[in-house]
Amino acid sequence: MSIETPFRTDVVVTGMTCGHCTASVKEEVGEVAGVRDVAVDLSTGLVTITSDRELPLAEIEAAVTEAGYTLAD
């Protein structure tokens, strides 16, 4: 039995101001194929994504945009 090491991706999302914002981002990013967990820090905008595969930034950005927010440059 092998134990897979998950991938970790950190991005910064701008425009979040409340708990509903973080929930929206978690929900949309969580729907990306292979995502295991999404942690959002409202105060910094840091979103930490744990996944089964390396996630292309375009996929993460599309999910964040769908939630109504943008990635920081």
Side-chain angles (χ1 to χ4, degrees):
M1 181 170 164
S2 65
I3 299 174
E4 295 181 27
T5 302
F7 290 88
R8 178 180 159 166
T9 308
D10 293 325
V11 295
V12 176
V13 174
T14 60
M16 297 185 297
T17 58
C18 65
H20 178 74
C21 299
T22 61
S24 295
V25 170
K26 284 180 78 164
E27 179 180 349
E28 291 298 334
V29 173
E31 291 179 4
V32 173
V35 170
R36 289 187 187 179
D37 185 58
V38 181
V40 181
D41 183 332
L42 178 60
S43 64
T44 63
L46 179 66
V47 178
T48 301
I49 306 158
T50 305
S51 59
D52 294 329
R53 64 185 178 93
E54 190 169 346
L55 298 175
L57 188 58
E59 286 185 41
I60 298 169
E61 187 169 22
V64 169
T65 300
E66 182 66 28
Y69 306 96
T70 57
L71 293 182
D73 291 330

